[in-house]
Amino acid sequence: RSDVPDKALTPLALAASADGLSGERFVHVDSSGLLPEAVATSTANRSLQLDLDGVVPGMWLYLETLNELTNYEEPFWTFGSLNQTWYRCTLQCRPIGAETPTDYEVQMAYTSSMIHEVFRVARLKEALWTGSFPTPESDSIFWEYVQQSVLNTTAQYEALASAVNGGHEGLSRPAGRTLEPAVPL
């Protein structure tokens, strides 16, 4: 839309850049209590890691736990988006994707709730790397919604800042402080 500044998409462009967000910043903390302690907190970091004290497991260490839980049955499981083959995959591995294996496939192969949760989180990690994010060309309705939401939030903030800074009855602010004007993204 013509009334949305070009700068509105800048944060998304930064997030998608190589020096923007990385897998190690996408942290999953288990709230279900189903994940084993070794991966109760983990990241979507695709870099090769050593299993050292204090290291938050990324995708390589997560695979070690996942395959251990499945009794290292062959072919081993691996993430399809890894830059190199998981070290235990000598001949062939089964890829974990954003949608595979499905919940049904996991339930048919394994009876453990813990294993179901490990695969669910594994698919989420993979989706971060392989899932498609809507672009203005692929989903114009989504982007109209995002842009309108940004404009609405900016307008609401401007109204609040004006009320607080103007000393509106019932609103107070710390002495000597004002709310900054809204800056379009």
Side-chain angles (χ1 to χ4, degrees):
R1 295 177 16 172
S2 59
D3 60 334
V4 176
D6 289 339
K7 294 192 306 184
L9 302 180
T10 301
L12 295 173
L14 288 173
S17 71
D19 59 355
L21 300 177
S22 72
E24 68 187 66
R25 291 188 178 99
F26 289 102
V27 178
H28 179 269
V29 178
D30 180 35
S31 60
S32 69
L34 292 172
L35 291 179
E37 187 177 338
V39 292
T41 300
S42 63
T43 71
N45 184 356
R46 294 188 296 183
S47 299
L48 186 58
Q49 295 176 297
L50 298 176
D51 191 4
L52 302 171
D53 286 342
V55 171
V56 177
M59 293 171 74
W60 286 82
L61 295 177
Y62 196 89
L63 279 176
E64 190 68 44
T65 299
L66 184 147
N67 281 293
E68 180 182 353
L69 288 171
T70 60
N71 295 316
Y72 292 106
E73 69 181 21
E74 294 190 44
F76 298 114
W77 290 101
T78 191
F79 287 107
S81 69
L82 290 179
N83 297 331
Q84 50 186 309
T85 306
W86 189 53
Y87 75 99
R88 290 190 185 261
C89 295
T90 53
L91 297 175
Q92 181 181 359
C93 269
R94 293 176 284 184
I96 297 169
E99 298 179 15
T100 58
T102 65
D103 282 335
Y104 177 77
E105 291 167 331
V106 173
Q107 289 170 0
M108 295 306 295
Y110 310 104
T111 58
S112 165
S113 297
M114 180 183 288
I115 293 175
H116 296 170
E117 183 65 4
V118 168
F119 274 100
R120 186 188 72 79
V121 173
R123 288 190 304 265
L124 290 174
K125 291 175 184 298
E126 190 65 13
L128 286 171
W129 294 109
T130 61
S132 61
F133 191 79
T135 63
E137 294 77 27
S138 70
D139 193 342
S140 62
I141 293 173
F142 169 78
W143 281 103
E144 283 185 39
Y145 169 78
V146 168
Q147 292 168 342
Q148 191 59 51
S149 295
V150 168
L151 291 173
N152 291 343
T153 301
T154 300
Q156 290 170 353
Y157 176 81
E158 286 174 344
L160 174 65
S162 176
V164 169
N165 293 339
H168 188 271
E169 187 177 319
L171 295 176
S172 62
R173 61 182 163 96
R177 304 232 18 229
T178 60
L179 292 177
E180 298 293 323
V183 178
L185 296 175

